[in-house]
Each structure stands twice: as C-alpha cells, then as structure tokens.
Amino acid sequence: MTHDGFGAAVSDTATMIDRSIRLTRRNVDTLFVSILLPLLMMALFVYVFGGAISTGTEYINYVVPGILLLTTGYGASNTAMAVADDMTTGMIDRLRSLPIRSFAVLTGHVTASVARNAISTAIVLLASLAMGFRPNAGPLDWLGAIGLLVLYVVALSWLAAALGVIAKSVESASTLSFFMLFVPYLSSAFVQVETMPAFLRPISQHQPITPVIETVRGFLTGTGLNGTGWVALAWCTGLFLFSFTLATVLFRRRARG
C-alpha cells in the first residue's frame, strides 16, 4: 500500500481527506446528532439543574467549557465507527491493491473528524451565547482555547481511529468509544470537584479531562489557568503521541493481514 515520494504521500493523504469529508457530507444525520445532543445537554443543565448548582459564578459561564469538550467527544467517537466500517466492509482490501500509503486512510478520517468538530463546536458556542454565556476572553485567550481544543480533538480522534481498527464491527466500535462520552461526566465539566463524594474526587482531579476543561474555562472566562495549562498540554500531547502510534501500528498489522 505504499509508493515512494513525499509528493505521492501528500497526494494520497489529500485524496483520503477528500473522501472522508465527502462521506461526512453524505451522513448528515450523524453530524446533526453530534450537535443536537450537546445542545440538549447544555439546555438541561442550564435551565433544569443550573439553579440548584452553586459554582460561585453564573452557571452557564461555568458549564459551557465542559459542554464544548463533550461536543468534541461526540464528534470524535464517530471516527471509530467510520474506521470500523472501512475495516469490515472490504474497503481496506480494495486499497491494498492500490499504491496508497496506509497512514493516509486514518489521516483522512481524523481530518474529517476535526472538520466536523469545528462545525459542531462553533454551533454549540453560538447557541451558548444566545442562552447567556458571556466569555471574558481577549484575542490571545481565544487563540489559546481554540488551540487546546484542536489538539484535544486531534488526540481524541486518533484514539477513536485506533478503537475503530480493533473493532470487529461498527456496533462494537460504538461500544468501545462510549467511554469517550462518559469520562467528561466524571470531571469538573458540570460541577466542582470539591462537591463530589470523597471516593470520586481523586478520579476527577487526576484524569486528563479536568485540566483541559479548567484550562479552556480559564481562557474563556478570564479566571486564570491556575497551573492547569501545562498539565492540559502535556495530557493532550501525550494522548496524541500514544494514539497516533497505536492507530498506525494496529492499522498496518491488520491491513497486511
């Protein structure tokens, strides 16, 4: 599945990116659900639970950063199913007979995931502004928040791609990626960690989602990073390197098989 030349590698990758984006446009319902669910969650927490939750600030200003990460989790989890579909429907067998670099296939899926997430995150952010979210961020703060979210999405999408490679079906890929949607609920996304039961606090404090959310929250609300910025960057970078390596190694092994 390989041929020589940097230009050929770029061409292969561009072809697979175009294919994945076209598949996304044909599967509008998946994009719609990945936008609708976070919107419903935001409305539920703001209008139903928000009045009973004390965070020391307007609850919508507290919860929106967590909703943004929840949105990216929904979007990235779809990557696992898209990759699993390629692995189980004969697409890889067809590509094996063509001079296409193997990493281009996964790169196409991950790039499409980032594009989907950019659209869904922008829509959720606009909706939050209409609901009363009032960020207190300057241009550099916005750049910092966007940069960290992009790195988080890329890392999570590569992890989803790895799960899609090992899944035996699209349904099992959906099951394997469920934890990506569940973990934010065990973080500081919706409530302050200090309010959780004692046995949950260490999990919430030391999992990767919490420092990412706290950093995005610090950027957008102007409350400061409080030392979480470097921790969030380290978690996202480490997750990206691990997921990228795992996905490419597993893909090459399965494609050759």
Side-chain angles (χ1 to χ4, degrees):
M1 294 178 67
T2 61
H3 57 101
D4 296 329
F6 176 76
V10 173
S11 177
D12 291 346
T13 303
T15 299
M16 291 296 103
I17 290 174
D18 179 67
R19 169 183 176 265
S20 296
I21 290 177
R22 282 188 285 108
L23 289 175
T24 296
R25 290 203 302 263
R26 296 172 186 171
N27 195 12
V28 179
D29 56 334
T30 300
L31 180 61
F32 177 74
V33 171
S34 68
I35 296 171
L36 180 62
L37 286 178
L39 287 176
L40 291 176
M41 290 298 300
M42 183 165 59
L44 176 67
F45 275 90
V46 170
Y47 295 130
V48 179
F49 302 139
I53 300 175
S54 176
T55 60
T57 183
E58 289 291 331
Y59 185 67
I60 190 169
N61 292 333
Y62 181 88
V63 79
V64 165
I67 293 293
L68 294 180
L69 262 74
L70 192 68
T71 303
T72 61
Y74 279 117
S77 66
N78 292 327
T79 305
M81 291 179 280
V83 172
D85 186 64
D86 275 356
M87 303 301 297
T88 58
T89 58
M91 181 64 186
I92 300 304
D93 293 332
R94 293 192 290 272
L95 292 177
R96 190 184 292 123
S97 64
L98 301 173
I100 297 176
R101 294 179 183 268
S102 57
F103 69 82
V105 179
L106 295 184
T107 301
H109 283 296
V110 170
T111 303
S113 173
V114 174
R116 287 194 305 268
N117 272 290
I119 295 171
S120 58
T121 302
I123 292 174
V124 170
L125 182 58
L126 290 174
S128 71
L129 293 173
M131 293 170 63
F133 177 52
R134 295 298 178 261
N136 185 24
L140 291 180
D141 294 322
W142 278 106
L143 286 176
I146 292 171
L148 183 59
L149 283 173
V150 169
L151 179 58
Y152 176 76
V153 169
V154 170
L156 208 61
S157 297
W158 277 107
L159 179 59
L163 296 176
V165 171
I166 64 175
K168 300 301 182 182
S169 66
V170 175
E171 291 75 15
S172 64
S174 177
T175 302
L176 288 173
S177 61
F178 173 76
F179 78 93
M180 298 168 61
L181 311 179
F182 181 73
V183 171
Y185 295 98
L186 297 178
S187 69
S188 63
F190 303 106
V191 297
Q192 294 176 322
V193 172
E194 293 77 13
T195 65
M196 296 181 180
F199 71 94
L200 275 181
R201 290 175 199 166
I203 298 174
S204 300
Q205 290 172 338
H206 301 295
Q207 60 139 306
I209 307 296
T210 291
V212 176
I213 289 175
E214 291 298 326
T215 301
V216 173
R217 183 177 287 131
F219 277 130
L220 295 183
T221 62
T223 55
L225 303 186
N226 299 319
T228 62
W230 292 110
V231 178
L233 183 62
W235 269 114
C236 289
T237 303
L239 180 61
F240 164 69
L241 294 175
F242 168 78
S243 301
F244 175 81
T245 302
L246 180 66
T248 52
V249 170
L250 291 175
F251 183 84
R252 287 172 182 168
R253 287 182 179 178
R254 189 163 177 183
R256 289 172 183 168

